Each structure stands twice: as C-alpha cells, then as structure tokens.
Amino acid sequence: METNTIFTRRSIRKFVKRELPINLINEMLNSARMAPSAKNRQPWRFVVFGGEYKAELERCMERGLIREESGVSVLPRSRFGLPDAKNTLKIIREAPILIIIINSNGSSPFVPIDSDDRVTEICDTLSIGAAVQNMLLTAERLGLGTLWIANTCFAYPELTEFLKIDGQLIGAVAVGYPNENPPERSRKSIDEISEFRV
C-alpha cells in the first residue's frame, strides 16, 4: 500500500454510473480482514449490496428518516443531522455498491450494557475502524471512490430488521468510480492534536 494513498484519499459523494467488478470489492474486503483487532477478535462483518438488493435497503433507510422526522425518534437530540442524512441517502442511491459494516460481537446501541461490555465494544469499534480504513485506502489505490457513512444510525431499527443480523450496525461504505475530484479538506495541525511528554 503506497503511503501516498493516505494523503490522496477523499470522501466521494458523486459517482459514475458504472458497474464495479466483484474482484475489486473482494480486494477491498481482503485488505479489511487484515486489519489489527483487539485480542484478534476480528469483529467485523461486511454485507455487500448492489442492484435491487441495494434499492430495497435504500427504501428501509428512507422509512427510518421519515419516522425520525415524524417525531417518533430514536435520536431526538440529533435531529439537526436529518438534512445531512437525507443527502447521504441520495449519495447511497447514486453509488453502485454499498457495503454495510457490522460489529459481529456487538449489540444494539439502544440497550444498556455493563462497563466490561462497553470496553469490549470500544475496542471492537476501534478494530472495525482500522478495517474500514484499510478498505478506503485500497479503494483509492484501485481508482475507486468511497464515502464512509454513519448516518445509518437514524434508521437503525428499520435497517437491522431488514438485514436480519446478529450484531451491531456500525455504518456503511458507498463505493463506485468517482465523478468528482474534491479538494483536500482542512486538517488540524500536529501541534493541535498532539502533546509530547518525553
């Protein structure tokens, strides 16, 4: 993996209408499974959607957003994020492939868990983040565009019922050939994010 992909990767929100070869998706998934994980639990599971299967998933997400807007909300203090979630749904519809990310060891974020399970959940989520980053960087190397999506949280009940999964829905990655070349977004300086005690 070229170090350069870390710096050239961008979040893509516009995609070319072009089918993705399955071998490219498999290459992304293969790099994801090689990520480090806490206690080698490898808590990730990936469900790849395309075509009519993806369209059905999109309808589920839309139902969840409508429910949230109606006031029957699972995330009432996050209502300010609904316009962005609607835009995310448009992006999902444009991308040819959507990869759903699941924590196979996790449970719904809407049920309480004890401190031990919370620490395990945090460690597994960090592990999944590493796997997703591997996917994103591999996609960049392959000339693909990706968008790491967390707005699935607004439609959590609808999506998990549709997916019929054991585990915790973490989010999704939209994948396709990019139809834009966004500029680099601002980043905090090293001084702002680090402290040396040496």
mmCIF file of all heavy atoms in Angstrom, residues 39-86:
data_model
loop_
_atom_site.group_PDB
_atom_site.id
_atom_site.type_symbol
_atom_site.label_atom_id
_atom_site.label_comp_id
_atom_site.label_asym_id
_atom_site.label_seq_id
_atom_site.Cartn_x
_atom_site.Cartn_y
_atom_site.Cartn_z
ATOM 1 N N LYS A 39 -7.395 -8.354 20.779
ATOM 2 C CA LYS A 39 -7.435 -9.787 21.127
ATOM 3 C C LYS A 39 -7.668 -10.672 19.909
ATOM 4 O O LYS A 39 -8.148 -11.796 20.033
ATOM 5 C CB LYS A 39 -8.506 -10.085 22.184
ATOM 6 C CG LYS A 39 -8.472 -9.187 23.398
ATOM 7 C CD LYS A 39 -7.193 -9.311 24.173
ATOM 8 C CE LYS A 39 -7.237 -8.447 25.424
ATOM 9 N NZ LYS A 39 -5.920 -8.274 26.039
ATOM 10 N N ASN A 40 -7.369 -10.136 18.738
ATOM 11 C CA ASN A 40 -7.582 -10.845 17.464
ATOM 12 C C ASN A 40 -9.024 -11.333 17.317
ATOM 13 O O ASN A 40 -9.286 -12.383 16.726
ATOM 14 C CB ASN A 40 -6.601 -12.016 17.306
ATOM 15 C CG ASN A 40 -6.487 -12.476 15.857
ATOM 16 O OD1 ASN A 40 -6.636 -11.688 14.929
ATOM 17 N ND2 ASN A 40 -6.242 -13.752 15.654
ATOM 18 N N ARG A 41 -9.980 -10.544 17.838
ATOM 19 C CA ARG A 41 -11.392 -10.954 17.754
ATOM 20 C C ARG A 41 -11.947 -10.830 16.342
ATOM 21 O O ARG A 41 -12.944 -11.457 16.016
ATOM 22 C CB ARG A 41 -12.252 -10.135 18.736
ATOM 23 C CG ARG A 41 -12.161 -10.614 20.164
ATOM 24 C CD ARG A 41 -13.232 -9.968 21.033
ATOM 25 N NE ARG A 41 -13.070 -8.534 21.165
ATOM 26 C CZ ARG A 41 -12.382 -7.931 22.150
ATOM 27 N NH1 ARG A 41 -11.808 -8.662 23.092
ATOM 28 N NH2 ARG A 41 -12.286 -6.626 22.206
ATOM 29 N N GLN A 42 -11.333 -9.956 15.516
ATOM 30 C CA GLN A 42 -11.798 -9.761 14.140
ATOM 31 C C GLN A 42 -13.315 -9.578 14.118
ATOM 32 O O GLN A 42 -14.045 -10.381 13.530
ATOM 33 C CB GLN A 42 -11.364 -10.946 13.266
ATOM 34 C CG GLN A 42 -9.859 -11.175 13.275
ATOM 35 C CD GLN A 42 -9.430 -12.404 12.532
ATOM 36 O OE1 GLN A 42 -9.771 -12.568 11.356
ATOM 37 N NE2 GLN A 42 -8.673 -13.282 13.179
ATOM 38 N N PRO A 43 -13.817 -8.516 14.746
ATOM 39 C CA PRO A 43 -15.254 -8.387 14.985
ATOM 40 C C PRO A 43 -16.056 -7.866 13.800
ATOM 41 O O PRO A 43 -17.227 -7.549 13.940
ATOM 42 C CB PRO A 43 -15.304 -7.377 16.133
ATOM 43 C CG PRO A 43 -14.128 -6.483 15.861
ATOM 44 C CD PRO A 43 -13.064 -7.398 15.333
ATOM 45 N N TRP A 44 -15.427 -7.766 12.663
ATOM 46 C CA TRP A 44 -16.093 -7.171 11.506
ATOM 47 C C TRP A 44 -16.850 -8.199 10.670
ATOM 48 O O TRP A 44 -16.479 -9.351 10.548
ATOM 49 C CB TRP A 44 -15.059 -6.472 10.627
ATOM 50 C CG TRP A 44 -13.777 -7.257 10.472
ATOM 51 C CD1 TRP A 44 -13.581 -8.402 9.767
ATOM 52 C CD2 TRP A 44 -12.526 -6.951 11.096
ATOM 53 N NE1 TRP A 44 -12.281 -8.825 9.896
ATOM 54 C CE2 TRP A 44 -11.607 -7.962 10.697
ATOM 55 C CE3 TRP A 44 -12.081 -5.928 11.929
ATOM 56 C CZ2 TRP A 44 -10.284 -7.967 11.104
ATOM 57 C CZ3 TRP A 44 -10.754 -5.935 12.341
ATOM 58 C CH2 TRP A 44 -9.877 -6.946 11.929
ATOM 59 N N ARG A 45 -17.928 -7.712 10.098
ATOM 60 C CA ARG A 45 -18.678 -8.486 9.099
ATOM 61 C C ARG A 45 -19.146 -7.484 8.061
ATOM 62 O O ARG A 45 -19.560 -6.366 8.401
ATOM 63 C CB ARG A 45 -19.868 -9.189 9.743
ATOM 64 C CG ARG A 45 -20.602 -10.064 8.745
ATOM 65 C CD ARG A 45 -21.395 -11.174 9.405
ATOM 66 N NE ARG A 45 -22.164 -11.855 8.374
ATOM 67 C CZ ARG A 45 -23.487 -11.906 8.376
ATOM 68 N NH1 ARG A 45 -24.188 -11.359 9.337
ATOM 69 N NH2 ARG A 45 -24.113 -12.526 7.408
ATOM 70 N N PHE A 46 -19.081 -7.861 6.799
ATOM 71 C CA PHE A 46 -19.414 -6.958 5.705
ATOM 72 C C PHE A 46 -20.509 -7.585 4.841
ATOM 73 O O PHE A 46 -20.423 -8.747 4.474
ATOM 74 C CB PHE A 46 -18.167 -6.692 4.847
ATOM 75 C CG PHE A 46 -16.982 -6.259 5.667
ATOM 76 C CD1 PHE A 46 -15.965 -7.150 5.979
ATOM 77 C CD2 PHE A 46 -16.891 -4.971 6.148
ATOM 78 C CE1 PHE A 46 -14.878 -6.765 6.751
ATOM 79 C CE2 PHE A 46 -15.807 -4.571 6.923
ATOM 80 C CZ PHE A 46 -14.800 -5.467 7.223
ATOM 81 N N VAL A 47 -21.535 -6.801 4.543
ATOM 82 C CA VAL A 47 -22.613 -7.261 3.669
ATOM 83 C C VAL A 47 -22.651 -6.311 2.479
ATOM 84 O O VAL A 47 -22.878 -5.104 2.645
ATOM 85 C CB VAL A 47 -23.980 -7.283 4.394
ATOM 86 C CG1 VAL A 47 -25.034 -7.901 3.490
ATOM 87 C CG2 VAL A 47 -23.886 -8.041 5.715
ATOM 88 N N VAL A 48 -22.405 -6.851 1.290
ATOM 89 C CA VAL A 48 -22.289 -6.044 0.077
ATOM 90 C C VAL A 48 -23.635 -6.009 -0.641
ATOM 91 O O VAL A 48 -24.225 -7.054 -0.920
ATOM 92 C CB VAL A 48 -21.196 -6.618 -0.851
ATOM 93 C CG1 VAL A 48 -21.056 -5.769 -2.116
ATOM 94 C CG2 VAL A 48 -19.854 -6.711 -0.109
ATOM 95 N N PHE A 49 -24.102 -4.789 -0.932
ATOM 96 C CA PHE A 49 -25.388 -4.603 -1.605
ATOM 97 C C PHE A 49 -25.192 -3.894 -2.940
ATOM 98 O O PHE A 49 -24.444 -2.926 -3.043
ATOM 99 C CB PHE A 49 -26.325 -3.741 -0.743
ATOM 100 C CG PHE A 49 -26.923 -4.483 0.408
ATOM 101 C CD1 PHE A 49 -26.266 -4.540 1.625
ATOM 102 C CD2 PHE A 49 -28.141 -5.135 0.282
ATOM 103 C CE1 PHE A 49 -26.808 -5.226 2.693
ATOM 104 C CE2 PHE A 49 -28.691 -5.828 1.343
ATOM 105 C CZ PHE A 49 -28.022 -5.874 2.562
ATOM 106 N N GLY A 50 -25.925 -4.377 -3.930
ATOM 107 C CA GLY A 50 -25.970 -3.736 -5.235
ATOM 108 C C GLY A 50 -27.320 -4.012 -5.874
ATOM 109 O O GLY A 50 -28.086 -4.847 -5.389
ATOM 110 N N GLY A 51 -27.624 -3.313 -6.942
ATOM 111 C CA GLY A 51 -28.849 -3.555 -7.703
ATOM 112 C C GLY A 51 -30.109 -3.420 -6.875
ATOM 113 O O GLY A 51 -30.240 -2.518 -6.047
ATOM 114 N N GLU A 52 -31.047 -4.347 -7.096
ATOM 115 C CA GLU A 52 -32.339 -4.289 -6.416
ATOM 116 C C GLU A 52 -32.206 -4.524 -4.911
ATOM 117 O O GLU A 52 -32.991 -3.989 -4.130
ATOM 118 C CB GLU A 52 -33.306 -5.306 -7.032
ATOM 119 C CG GLU A 52 -34.716 -5.270 -6.444
ATOM 120 C CD GLU A 52 -35.351 -3.873 -6.416
ATOM 121 O OE1 GLU A 52 -35.168 -3.117 -7.387
ATOM 122 O OE2 GLU A 52 -36.013 -3.540 -5.404
ATOM 123 N N TYR A 53 -31.215 -5.289 -4.505
ATOM 124 C CA TYR A 53 -30.991 -5.501 -3.072
ATOM 125 C C TYR A 53 -30.649 -4.167 -2.393
ATOM 126 O O TYR A 53 -31.137 -3.865 -1.302
ATOM 127 C CB TYR A 53 -29.868 -6.510 -2.837
ATOM 128 C CG TYR A 53 -30.214 -7.906 -3.288
ATOM 129 C CD1 TYR A 53 -29.689 -8.420 -4.470
ATOM 130 C CD2 TYR A 53 -31.066 -8.719 -2.538
ATOM 131 C CE1 TYR A 53 -30.006 -9.700 -4.897
ATOM 132 C CE2 TYR A 53 -31.388 -10.000 -2.946
ATOM 133 C CZ TYR A 53 -30.854 -10.488 -4.132
ATOM 134 O OH TYR A 53 -31.179 -11.747 -4.557
ATOM 135 N N LYS A 54 -29.826 -3.379 -3.062
ATOM 136 C CA LYS A 54 -29.468 -2.065 -2.518
ATOM 137 C C LYS A 54 -30.668 -1.135 -2.538
ATOM 138 O O LYS A 54 -30.894 -0.374 -1.586
ATOM 139 C CB LYS A 54 -28.297 -1.453 -3.296
ATOM 140 C CG LYS A 54 -27.790 -0.135 -2.683
ATOM 141 C CD LYS A 54 -26.494 0.318 -3.313
ATOM 142 C CE LYS A 54 -26.702 0.912 -4.664
ATOM 143 N NZ LYS A 54 -27.316 2.260 -4.630
ATOM 144 N N ALA A 55 -31.463 -1.210 -3.579
ATOM 145 C CA ALA A 55 -32.660 -0.364 -3.669
ATOM 146 C C ALA A 55 -33.623 -0.648 -2.515
ATOM 147 O O ALA A 55 -34.232 0.267 -1.950
ATOM 148 C CB ALA A 55 -33.353 -0.574 -5.015
ATOM 149 N N GLU A 56 -33.743 -1.916 -2.154
ATOM 150 C CA GLU A 56 -34.619 -2.278 -1.034
ATOM 151 C C GLU A 56 -34.059 -1.725 0.277
ATOM 152 O O GLU A 56 -34.800 -1.210 1.116
ATOM 153 C CB GLU A 56 -34.771 -3.801 -0.959
ATOM 154 C CG GLU A 56 -35.867 -4.238 -0.018
ATOM 155 C CD GLU A 56 -36.113 -5.736 -0.045
ATOM 156 O OE1 GLU A 56 -35.626 -6.417 -0.979
ATOM 157 O OE2 GLU A 56 -36.786 -6.228 0.872
ATOM 158 N N LEU A 57 -32.749 -1.816 0.448
ATOM 159 C CA LEU A 57 -32.118 -1.261 1.637
ATOM 160 C C LEU A 57 -32.324 0.257 1.701
ATOM 161 O O LEU A 57 -32.582 0.820 2.767
ATOM 162 C CB LEU A 57 -30.627 -1.605 1.640
ATOM 163 C CG LEU A 57 -29.836 -1.157 2.857
ATOM 164 C CD1 LEU A 57 -28.870 -2.239 3.280
ATOM 165 C CD2 LEU A 57 -29.091 0.131 2.602
ATOM 166 N N GLU A 58 -32.235 0.915 0.563
ATOM 167 C CA GLU A 58 -32.458 2.375 0.499
ATOM 168 C C GLU A 58 -33.875 2.726 0.939
ATOM 169 O O GLU A 58 -34.083 3.718 1.652
ATOM 170 C CB GLU A 58 -32.216 2.871 -0.932
ATOM 171 C CG GLU A 58 -30.775 2.797 -1.381
ATOM 172 C CD GLU A 58 -30.600 2.826 -2.890
ATOM 173 O OE1 GLU A 58 -31.610 2.975 -3.623
ATOM 174 O OE2 GLU A 58 -29.459 2.687 -3.339
ATOM 175 N N ARG A 59 -34.849 1.912 0.535
ATOM 176 C CA ARG A 59 -36.229 2.170 0.943
ATOM 177 C C ARG A 59 -36.385 2.035 2.457
ATOM 178 O O ARG A 59 -37.113 2.792 3.094
ATOM 179 C CB ARG A 59 -37.193 1.236 0.195
ATOM 180 C CG ARG A 59 -37.314 1.570 -1.295
ATOM 181 C CD ARG A 59 -38.420 0.790 -1.980
ATOM 182 N NE ARG A 59 -38.089 -0.613 -2.188
ATOM 183 C CZ ARG A 59 -37.451 -1.090 -3.252
ATOM 184 N NH1 ARG A 59 -37.040 -0.276 -4.207
ATOM 185 N NH2 ARG A 59 -37.216 -2.399 -3.355
ATOM 186 N N CYS A 60 -35.673 1.073 3.036
ATOM 187 C CA CYS A 60 -35.700 0.914 4.504
ATOM 188 C C CYS A 60 -35.118 2.145 5.191
ATOM 189 O O CYS A 60 -35.669 2.633 6.183
ATOM 190 C CB CYS A 60 -34.895 -0.317 4.919
ATOM 191 S SG CYS A 60 -35.703 -1.863 4.551
ATOM 192 N N MET A 61 -34.015 2.630 4.666
ATOM 193 C CA MET A 61 -33.396 3.814 5.269
ATOM 194 C C MET A 61 -34.320 5.015 5.140
ATOM 195 O O MET A 61 -34.474 5.802 6.076
ATOM 196 C CB MET A 61 -32.043 4.109 4.632
ATOM 197 C CG MET A 61 -31.333 5.288 5.294
ATOM 198 S SD MET A 61 -29.582 5.330 4.943
ATOM 199 C CE MET A 61 -29.157 6.931 5.636
ATOM 200 N N GLU A 62 -34.966 5.153 3.988
ATOM 201 C CA GLU A 62 -35.898 6.261 3.797
ATOM 202 C C GLU A 62 -37.043 6.194 4.806
ATOM 203 O O GLU A 62 -37.445 7.216 5.381
ATOM 204 C CB GLU A 62 -36.444 6.248 2.369
ATOM 205 C CG GLU A 62 -37.347 7.430 2.076
ATOM 206 C CD GLU A 62 -37.765 7.485 0.619
ATOM 207 O OE1 GLU A 62 -37.943 6.410 0.000
ATOM 208 O OE2 GLU A 62 -37.901 8.608 0.108
ATOM 209 N N ARG A 63 -37.578 5.000 5.046
ATOM 210 C CA ARG A 63 -38.640 4.849 6.046
ATOM 211 C C ARG A 63 -38.161 5.294 7.430
ATOM 212 O O ARG A 63 -38.902 5.928 8.177
ATOM 213 C CB ARG A 63 -39.134 3.396 6.095
ATOM 214 C CG ARG A 63 -40.034 3.022 4.942
ATOM 215 C CD ARG A 63 -40.816 1.754 5.195
ATOM 216 N NE ARG A 63 -39.985 0.584 5.420
ATOM 217 C CZ ARG A 63 -39.482 -0.183 4.434
ATOM 218 N NH1 ARG A 63 -39.749 0.105 3.174
ATOM 219 N NH2 ARG A 63 -38.747 -1.231 4.727
ATOM 220 N N GLY A 64 -36.926 4.968 7.760
ATOM 221 C CA GLY A 64 -36.374 5.385 9.043
ATOM 222 C C GLY A 64 -36.248 6.893 9.159
ATOM 223 O O GLY A 64 -36.565 7.474 10.208
ATOM 224 N N LEU A 65 -35.825 7.541 8.086
ATOM 225 C CA LEU A 65 -35.693 9.005 8.105
ATOM 226 C C LEU A 65 -37.065 9.664 8.224
ATOM 227 O O LEU A 65 -37.222 10.668 8.949
ATOM 228 C CB LEU A 65 -34.966 9.485 6.846
ATOM 229 C CG LEU A 65 -33.522 9.008 6.680
ATOM 230 C CD1 LEU A 65 -32.918 9.571 5.401
ATOM 231 C CD2 LEU A 65 -32.668 9.379 7.878
ATOM 232 N N ILE A 66 -38.056 9.111 7.557
ATOM 233 C CA ILE A 66 -39.427 9.639 7.664
ATOM 234 C C ILE A 66 -39.934 9.485 9.092
ATOM 235 O O ILE A 66 -40.546 10.392 9.654
ATOM 236 C CB ILE A 66 -40.361 8.940 6.647
ATOM 237 C CG1 ILE A 66 -39.988 9.360 5.223
ATOM 238 C CG2 ILE A 66 -41.828 9.239 6.951
ATOM 239 C CD1 ILE A 66 -40.630 8.534 4.132
ATOM 240 N N ARG A 67 -39.678 8.320 9.703
ATOM 241 C CA ARG A 67 -40.084 8.101 11.091
ATOM 242 C C ARG A 67 -39.423 9.113 12.019
ATOM 243 O O ARG A 67 -40.061 9.705 12.880
ATOM 244 C CB ARG A 67 -39.715 6.667 11.527
ATOM 245 C CG ARG A 67 -40.016 6.415 13.006
ATOM 246 C CD ARG A 67 -39.431 5.118 13.507
ATOM 247 N NE ARG A 67 -38.091 4.826 13.066
ATOM 248 C CZ ARG A 67 -36.984 5.476 13.473
ATOM 249 N NH1 ARG A 67 -37.072 6.474 14.336
ATOM 250 N NH2 ARG A 67 -35.797 5.131 13.002
ATOM 251 N N GLU A 68 -38.116 9.330 11.835
ATOM 252 C CA GLU A 68 -37.392 10.292 12.677
ATOM 253 C C GLU A 68 -37.998 11.692 12.539
ATOM 254 O O GLU A 68 -38.176 12.405 13.522
ATOM 255 C CB GLU A 68 -35.914 10.339 12.290
ATOM 256 C CG GLU A 68 -35.097 9.179 12.790
ATOM 257 C CD GLU A 68 -34.852 9.203 14.293
ATOM 258 O OE1 GLU A 68 -34.443 10.243 14.828
ATOM 259 O OE2 GLU A 68 -35.073 8.159 14.929
ATOM 260 N N GLU A 69 -38.310 12.085 11.304
ATOM 261 C CA GLU A 69 -38.893 13.414 11.067
ATOM 262 C C GLU A 69 -40.275 13.553 11.679
ATOM 263 O O GLU A 69 -40.675 14.638 12.077
ATOM 264 C CB GLU A 69 -38.978 13.683 9.555
ATOM 265 C CG GLU A 69 -37.645 14.035 8.943
ATOM 266 C CD GLU A 69 -37.783 14.462 7.502
ATOM 267 O OE1 GLU A 69 -38.515 13.795 6.741
ATOM 268 O OE2 GLU A 69 -37.180 15.485 7.133
ATOM 269 N N SER A 70 -41.003 12.438 11.757
ATOM 270 C CA SER A 70 -42.377 12.485 12.281
ATOM 271 C C SER A 70 -42.413 12.688 13.789
ATOM 272 O O SER A 70 -43.472 12.923 14.362
ATOM 273 C CB SER A 70 -43.128 11.200 11.922
ATOM 274 O OG SER A 70 -42.690 10.130 12.755
ATOM 275 N N GLY A 71 -41.255 12.584 14.434
ATOM 276 C CA GLY A 71 -41.201 12.771 15.876
ATOM 277 C C GLY A 71 -41.107 11.480 16.661
ATOM 278 O O GLY A 71 -40.913 11.495 17.870
ATOM 279 N N VAL A 72 -41.229 10.333 15.974
ATOM 280 C CA VAL A 72 -41.038 9.042 16.642
ATOM 281 C C VAL A 72 -39.556 8.719 16.484
ATOM 282 O O VAL A 72 -39.149 7.973 15.601
ATOM 283 C CB VAL A 72 -41.917 7.940 16.013
ATOM 284 C CG1 VAL A 72 -41.747 6.621 16.757
ATOM 285 C CG2 VAL A 72 -43.372 8.360 15.985
ATOM 286 N N SER A 73 -38.760 9.321 17.361
ATOM 287 C CA SER A 73 -37.322 9.378 17.135
ATOM 288 C C SER A 73 -36.540 8.482 18.083
ATOM 289 O O SER A 73 -36.828 8.427 19.274
ATOM 290 C CB SER A 73 -36.857 10.828 17.289
ATOM 291 O OG SER A 73 -35.477 10.924 17.076
ATOM 292 N N VAL A 74 -35.526 7.799 17.541
ATOM 293 C CA VAL A 74 -34.588 7.069 18.386
ATOM 294 C C VAL A 74 -33.408 7.956 18.769
ATOM 295 O O VAL A 74 -32.674 7.653 19.704
ATOM 296 C CB VAL A 74 -34.081 5.766 17.711
ATOM 297 C CG1 VAL A 74 -35.228 4.786 17.502
ATOM 298 C CG2 VAL A 74 -33.352 6.045 16.410
ATOM 299 N N LEU A 75 -33.243 9.069 18.041
ATOM 300 C CA LEU A 75 -32.146 10.010 18.309
ATOM 301 C C LEU A 75 -32.687 11.443 18.356
ATOM 302 O O LEU A 75 -32.348 12.270 17.507
ATOM 303 C CB LEU A 75 -31.066 9.879 17.226
ATOM 304 C CG LEU A 75 -30.352 8.529 17.132
ATOM 305 C CD1 LEU A 75 -29.515 8.445 15.874
ATOM 306 C CD2 LEU A 75 -29.502 8.290 18.367
ATOM 307 N N PRO A 76 -33.525 11.755 19.345
ATOM 308 C CA PRO A 76 -34.193 13.061 19.356
ATOM 309 C C PRO A 76 -33.248 14.258 19.449
ATOM 310 O O PRO A 76 -33.543 15.313 18.886
ATOM 311 C CB PRO A 76 -35.109 12.977 20.588
ATOM 312 C CG PRO A 76 -34.564 11.875 21.420
ATOM 313 C CD PRO A 76 -33.913 10.919 20.477
ATOM 314 N N ARG A 77 -32.113 14.109 20.132
ATOM 315 C CA ARG A 77 -31.195 15.246 20.254
ATOM 316 C C ARG A 77 -30.307 15.411 19.029
ATOM 317 O O ARG A 77 -29.537 16.365 18.951
ATOM 318 C CB ARG A 77 -30.343 15.094 21.522
ATOM 319 C CG ARG A 77 -31.178 15.296 22.794
ATOM 320 C CD ARG A 77 -30.334 15.406 24.042
ATOM 321 N NE ARG A 77 -29.625 14.161 24.316
ATOM 322 C CZ ARG A 77 -28.301 14.056 24.545
ATOM 323 N NH1 ARG A 77 -27.553 15.124 24.550
ATOM 324 N NH2 ARG A 77 -27.758 12.885 24.784
ATOM 325 N N SER A 78 -30.419 14.505 18.095
ATOM 326 C CA SER A 78 -29.604 14.566 16.875
ATOM 327 C C SER A 78 -30.411 14.958 15.644
ATOM 328 O O SER A 78 -29.933 14.813 14.517
ATOM 329 C CB SER A 78 -28.929 13.207 16.637
ATOM 330 O OG SER A 78 -28.080 12.890 17.715
ATOM 331 N N ARG A 79 -31.617 15.481 15.861
ATOM 332 C CA ARG A 79 -32.493 15.853 14.733
ATOM 333 C C ARG A 79 -31.825 16.815 13.756
ATOM 334 O O ARG A 79 -32.128 16.808 12.563
ATOM 335 C CB ARG A 79 -33.786 16.469 15.240
ATOM 336 C CG ARG A 79 -34.764 15.482 15.832
ATOM 337 C CD ARG A 79 -36.044 16.162 16.301
ATOM 338 N NE ARG A 79 -36.737 16.842 15.220
ATOM 339 C CZ ARG A 79 -37.571 16.261 14.368
ATOM 340 N NH1 ARG A 79 -37.826 14.980 14.491
ATOM 341 N NH2 ARG A 79 -38.159 16.938 13.415
ATOM 342 N N PHE A 80 -30.906 17.631 14.261
ATOM 343 C CA PHE A 80 -30.206 18.592 13.392
ATOM 344 C C PHE A 80 -29.463 17.880 12.262
ATOM 345 O O PHE A 80 -29.156 18.482 11.234
ATOM 346 C CB PHE A 80 -29.212 19.422 14.216
ATOM 347 C CG PHE A 80 -28.087 18.609 14.806
ATOM 348 C CD1 PHE A 80 -26.924 18.392 14.088
ATOM 349 C CD2 PHE A 80 -28.206 18.057 16.070
ATOM 350 C CE1 PHE A 80 -25.891 17.621 14.624
ATOM 351 C CE2 PHE A 80 -27.180 17.292 16.612
ATOM 352 C CZ PHE A 80 -26.014 17.074 15.880
ATOM 353 N N GLY A 81 -29.174 16.579 12.432
ATOM 354 C CA GLY A 81 -28.445 15.825 11.420
ATOM 355 C C GLY A 81 -29.306 15.205 10.338
ATOM 356 O O GLY A 81 -28.781 14.607 9.400
ATOM 357 N N LEU A 82 -30.631 15.354 10.438
ATOM 358 C CA LEU A 82 -31.520 14.721 9.450
ATOM 359 C C LEU A 82 -31.334 15.247 8.025
ATOM 360 O O LEU A 82 -31.348 14.454 7.082
ATOM 361 C CB LEU A 82 -32.974 14.826 9.890
ATOM 362 C CG LEU A 82 -33.381 13.845 10.994
ATOM 363 C CD1 LEU A 82 -34.774 14.169 11.520
ATOM 364 C CD2 LEU A 82 -33.310 12.415 10.505
ATOM 365 N N PRO A 83 -31.169 16.567 7.807
ATOM 366 C CA PRO A 83 -30.934 17.013 6.427
ATOM 367 C C PRO A 83 -29.688 16.377 5.814
ATOM 368 O O PRO A 83 -29.692 15.989 4.645
ATOM 369 C CB PRO A 83 -30.776 18.536 6.572
ATOM 370 C CG PRO A 83 -31.555 18.872 7.811
ATOM 371 C CD PRO A 83 -31.345 17.697 8.729
ATOM 372 N N ASP A 84 -28.638 16.238 6.613
ATOM 373 C CA ASP A 84 -27.422 15.593 6.117
ATOM 374 C C ASP A 84 -27.683 14.116 5.822
ATOM 375 O O ASP A 84 -27.185 13.568 4.835
ATOM 376 C CB ASP A 84 -26.291 15.743 7.139
ATOM 377 C CG ASP A 84 -24.977 15.176 6.622
ATOM 378 O OD1 ASP A 84 -24.506 15.626 5.560
ATOM 379 O OD2 ASP A 84 -24.432 14.260 7.268
ATOM 380 N N ALA A 85 -28.478 13.463 6.680
ATOM 381 C CA ALA A 85 -28.810 12.050 6.457
ATOM 382 C C ALA A 85 -29.606 11.869 5.166
ATOM 383 O O ALA A 85 -29.413 10.879 4.446
ATOM 384 C CB ALA A 85 -29.582 11.502 7.654
ATOM 385 N N LYS A 86 -30.497 12.809 4.873
ATOM 386 C CA LYS A 86 -31.253 12.746 3.606
ATOM 387 C C LYS A 86 -30.308 12.870 2.410
ATOM 388 O O LYS A 86 -30.471 12.185 1.395
ATOM 389 C CB LYS A 86 -32.298 13.859 3.558
ATOM 390 C CG LYS A 86 -33.504 13.614 4.410
ATOM 391 C CD LYS A 86 -34.437 14.802 4.243
ATOM 392 C CE LYS A 86 -35.809 14.516 4.779
ATOM 393 N NZ LYS A 86 -36.699 15.669 4.582
#
